[in-house]
Each structure stands twice: as structure tokens, then as C-alpha cells.
Amino acid sequence: MKRYSAFAIAREAYRHHKGWERAWRNPEPKQKYDVIIVGAGGHGLATAYYLGRNFGITNVAVIEKGWLGGGNTGRNTTIIRSNYLQDPSAAIYEKSRSLYETLSQDLNYNIMFSPRGVMMLAQTQHEIRGYQRTVHANALQGVKTEFIGPKRVKELCPIINLDGPRYPVLGALWQSRGGTARHDAVAWGYARACSDMGMDIIQQCEVTGIDKENGKVTGVQTSKGAIACEKLGLVVAGHSGVLADMAGFRLPVESVALQALVSEPIKPCMDVVVMANTVHGYMSQSDKGEMVIGGGADGFNNYTQRGSFHHVEETVRALVETFPMISRLKMLRWWGGIVDMTGDRSPILSKTPLENCFINCGWGDWRVQGNPWVGLGYGRIDGQGSFPANRRVFNVALQRGQIYRRKRRSRSGALMEGTCKSLILQRPVQISHNPLNACERLLVNVEAGSC
Amino acid sequence: MLIFQCPYCGIDADETELSPGGEAHLKRFGPGASDEDFESYLFMRENPKGVHFERWRHSNGCGKWFHAARCTMTLEVFGTYSAQTFEPPQEIKDKISQKRPGWSWRNFS
């Protein structure tokens, strides 16, 4: 792989740009791989990358029914943050966020990580109390956030209207190192690095069946023929239920559409990410100048990758009060992604009833910001395989005893707290006050089988 | 946008007039049930790409709950029926069979 650098650009400029090579190979599938990962989105590719980088397992195929990064990786609003209340959530997302800081250098691929700051508006007294609590929790977790007043909100985001009347801005939860990253560049960067390690990324190859023998997976049937494997990882987001069906087990997951839209490009007017939970809307400005706007998820099962007019209306109507200047913008593009929601909005990273088959799903709307950590963590599970015998550690079935503390199913799923309870271990891990340590320890415990 | 005919008041109601209520025909387990049954009742859900049965409420209308058969892939509605039943009526099943031969959902087909 030729490295990208300023020197490379200068060199290619003299050669009429004829020396660039393809970022990744587009091979035909081999007969057999050590590991097959189904789904070439951010999570799948990150899994493959850390499998290779941290475990030296490179006889890996990442198979994808559409095109690379064409699912939810290309269908989100690119926001990265780690201002979560619960310890496991904060630990995971803060580790993930910190990996994003150096990901461009690690991958030698510009993922355009822009830690421009994420602001979550408090528009009710209840939200003020909630965010103040989160700030205190974050202080203990080592995640840098602060609660700011309306004056500071206005300084950071001058286009905002503080006065309401219906939803006045009373303050905000501010994470200065949160931000955005170019979502497809994350997938492309991982894909390039994986391909360079000799892994095969096989696009337009749909899994049509899973071959099993004595409770073990032996391979997959695909639209490009049968491929055998030693281990299988399912990282297919919205289609987790479909794949689980093929593999013969059930998941506590339902697929719903989550939609977002962008406006026509305008001059730079907002250099932070603003999320407004009360009104179910969030907005940032892309480098091209488009206002990227996201709203809530559908309340019913849905595999259509498209939006619905009344959701757009609800989201935009709510945002117009806080951002009057967007009222005359035209909508340019609009998309829907299929997110896999667990009942409590917590992700699943688990072994399955099949011995050598692993699943990563249920990330709902927090997928992007979890990318690197999940790759790291999941890669470890895949790589070790001998991941603790105790099935309850990362269990498909949620933890008993914790089932009463549910989050309300809501159309504002996008903005709700992911509590990561599926990741909470049966015997609690000592979560230290440093989330990075907590996260490492979580993984170390998993490896050692000590939980 | 989804449009259902409310089986009680008979009018065609669109999505904004209705509230989704999740999977239909759940068997409920409460105190005294085994952990597996209770857990499965709380969390395990059908998630088909295709024919699906759901509960909906005509919340901005007559306010009553009803059942609906729908395709999650195309958003096509096969029909709606009363909430006071443990399984889809044969008439609805026949309608689905016409359009999706060989369909199955849980143990219905």
C-alpha cells in the first residue's frame, strides 16, 4: 500500500496522477477463510481491522450484500460524543471517541474527525437537572463535559434563538471534544487498511444461508457461492434479525427506520453540533455547508430504507423555533437507515447458541460513535474465540435481575440514553474513575474469563 | 405513510392518527412463570422482513386497539382486525396467502 502524504500528492502531481493505486482490492471469494465477517460497514470493517492488527489474524473475508459502507455507515448524521450517564456507556463511547482522535493517523486515511464540540440543549427544568447529573457522572468517569448557561450557548452558537417561546434554551450539556467524522471515510479507511493486510472485502455478495453442523457454523451460502469458515461474525445492524433467523436463534431486537436529511449548502453559520432532545432534533453543518438534520426513529418495524413526510415535518418544525434562520432552507437529500433496536436500547456483543458464531447488534442509533471500540472489543472476542465459557458475560438474552429498569420505548430513540446493559457483566466489574481503564479492564476481564 | 382502516369506526386512518403498539398475539407471562418465559415475553420479538402482525391504537380517533397485518418490506397493509382474538382470522390469512404465497409468522401460515 502506498502511503498517503503531502509528498505523495506532490509526486503524483508531476505524474498526472497516474500513480495512485486502488484503495482496496475487489477480489472474488476464496474457498475458505479463518474468519468471515458479514457486513462491511463501520463496525464490520473495524472488527476485521483490529482482528488483523491486534491478533495477526488476516485470513479474513468481510462480505457485504450491497457496497462498502452503503448501509447505516452511509446513513447517519456522523455525530460522535461520549457524554453518557451510565458508566459502561461512558466508558465505551469515551474509549471510542479517543480512538477517533488518532484514527486518521493510524489508518493513514483522513477520516475528517472534527472535534468541534457537541451541545445538548436543556429546554425544560427536568433536562437541566438531568444534564447536571450527567456532568457530575462524567466528572467521575473522566469524560470532559460541562453544563453551560444560555449566554455561553449563544456565544458558541450565535444563530440560536434562546427565547422560545415554546421551548426556551435554558442551558446545555457541552462536550468540547465531541464532534463529527466523515462517516464513509471511516469505512473506506478501515477497508483500505484491511485490504492491505491481505483481507478480502467482497462486495455485492449476499448471505443466503448459514451452514451448520453439530452446533457449529461451517460456512455461509452466498450469492457468489459457498464459503467455508472457522468463525463467523455477524455485524449486520438492521438485518441482524434476518441473519439470526438463518442461523436459527432469536434476538431481542426489532428493526426500525431512522431518518435524516440535509439542506442545500449555505455559508458557514454553525461550528458546533446541537442536539435538542425535548423536540427530537439535532443539527450540524457539514464541510460542504449543508445543514445536517436528524430526528426520531419510527415506532414500528420497518425495513424500508426511506423516511416519511410527517417525521420530517415534526423534526423541522421543532428546530425552526430554535433556529429561525433554517425556515427558508430547501431540503436537498433525505435518507433512512434501518437500526436494530433492543428493548432497552442497549447493544449486544455476544456469543450465540452456535459455538463459533458471534454477533454484534442492537447499537440502534449510537453505531457510528461506537465504531472503533466495538471493532477493538469484538475483534478480541472473535480473535480469542475461547472467550469465557460463561455465556452470560455478553449474553444474547439480557441480564435477569436488571430487567425492571427499562427505558421507555420512544420515537425519540435517537436521543435516548444507551445504557449498554447487555454489556454489564453479571458480576460487576470495578469501574474505575478513568473510563479508559474501565474499558480496558472490561476487556481484560472478558479475556481472562474472570467474570 | 401507512394507512389502516380502523376495524371499529371503519375510517381510513393514516399513521399520524395512530400509535404503534408492537408485536401482536404475545402470550403474556407474569408472576409464577419461569424466568425463560418471562424474559422471552419481555424481550424476544419477531423481526421479520416481510409479513408481520402488530397491535395499533386509533389514538387520535376512536381510541381503540386493533390488530393489523402488514409487510415490513413494502409497507403494504394486508388488513386489520379486532383486538379480541388470539390469532389472525382466516380471511386475513387468505388475503396474505394471495399476495405472499408460502408466508409464515410464528406458527401461523
Side-chain angles (χ1 to χ4, degrees), chain A residues 313-332:
Chain A
E313 191 193 342
E314 283 163 15
T315 304
V316 173
R317 185 174 58 205
L319 284 176
V320 163
E321 182 186 303
T322 315
F323 300 99
M325 65 163 281
I326 68 167
S327 68
R328 295 197 177 186
L329 290 184
K330 295 185 186 73
M331 182 170 82
L332 193 70

Side-chain angles (χ1 to χ4, degrees), chain A residues 82-95 133-143 373 405 417-421 423-425 428-440 442:
Chain A
S82 58
N83 52 354
Y84 285 81
L85 176 67
Q86 307 282 351
D87 286 347
S89 305
I92 286 168
Y93 291 122
E94 177 59 15
K95 175 72 181 175
R133 183 179 172 213
T134 305
V135 167
H136 294 317
N138 287 164
L140 294 172
Q141 291 150 350
V143 179
W373 184 85
R405 204 159 55 82
E417 175 78 14
T419 52
C420 296
K421 268 194 290 299
L423 283 167
I424 296 176
L425 309 174
V429 172
Q430 291 293 315
I431 298 273
S432 85
H433 291 326
N434 181 339
L436 303 189
N437 290 346
C439 208
E440 287 297 328
L442 196 82

Side-chain angles (χ1 to χ4, degrees), chain A residues 10-21:
Chain A
R11 185 190 60 211
E12 291 305 323
Y14 281 105
R15 291 189 198 165
H16 303 282
H17 293 281
K18 284 180 182 161
W20 297 114
E21 54 187 17

Side-chain angles (χ1 to χ4, degrees), chain A residues 97 101 112-118 175-180 271:
Chain A
R97 197 203 56 75
E101 297 253 11
M112 296 162 76
F113 177 58
S114 161
R116 59 183 68 180
V118 172
Q175 182 175 26
S176 57
R177 294 301 288 177
T180 61
D271 61 357

Side-chain angles (χ1 to χ4, degrees), chain A residues 133-336:
Chain A
R133 183 179 172 213
T134 305
V135 167
H136 294 317
N138 287 164
L140 294 172
Q141 291 150 350
V143 179
K144 191 169 166 285
T145 57
E146 58 181 312
F147 189 83
I148 56 175
K151 196 164 158 251
R152 179 98 175 101
V153 170
K154 186 78 179 169
E155 275 168 23
L156 288 164
C157 182
I159 66 167
I160 208 163
N161 169 31
L162 297 177
D163 304 328
R166 203 167 160 211
Y167 298 111
V169 176
L170 305 171
L173 171 61
W174 170 244
Q175 182 175 26
S176 57
R177 294 301 288 177
T180 61
R182 174 88 195 269
H183 47 177
D184 7 51
V186 175
W188 297 336
Y190 277 129
R192 178 166 166 265
C194 289
S195 189
D196 183 52
M197 286 190 276
M199 297 177 183
D200 286 352
I201 297 154
I202 304 158
Q203 299 178 72
Q204 296 186 331
C205 177
E206 182 173 359
V207 172
T208 53
I210 292 173
D211 299 333
K212 293 168 286 185
E213 214 169 88
N214 302 328
K216 282 186 79 170
V217 170
T218 54
V220 289
Q221 295 292 333
T222 72
S223 54
K224 291 190 175 180
I227 312 173
C229 66
E230 295 289 329
K231 283 173 189 163
L232 180 67
L234 305 177
V235 199
V236 292
H239 282 74
S240 296
V242 177
L243 265 287
D245 210 33
M246 286 180 201
F249 56 87
R250 294 182 79 195
L251 290 171
V253 160
E254 289 181 286
S255 299
V256 300
L258 177 70
Q259 53 191 299
L261 61 133
V262 295
S263 73
E264 58 191 321
I266 53 174
K267 287 184 179 176
C269 64
M270 190 171 110
D271 61 357
V272 293
V273 179
V274 177
M275 311 183 78
N277 293 9
T278 301
V279 298
H280 304 177
Y282 39 98
M283 188 164 84
S284 61
Q285 189 169 23
S286 74
D287 294 343
K288 284 183 281 185
E290 301 154 332
M291 304 309 285
V292 186
I293 296 170
D298 282 342
F300 53 88
N301 290 29
N302 188 345
Y303 282 90
T304 59
Q305 288 180 315
R306 60 180 188 225
S308 52
F309 285 105
H310 70 281
H311 270 304
V312 169
E313 191 193 342
E314 283 163 15
T315 304
V316 173
R317 185 174 58 205
L319 284 176
V320 163
E321 182 186 303
T322 315
F323 300 99
M325 65 163 281
I326 68 167
S327 68
R328 295 197 177 186
L329 290 184
K330 295 185 186 73
M331 182 170 82
L332 193 70
R333 280 178 289 120
W334 177 27
W335 63 91

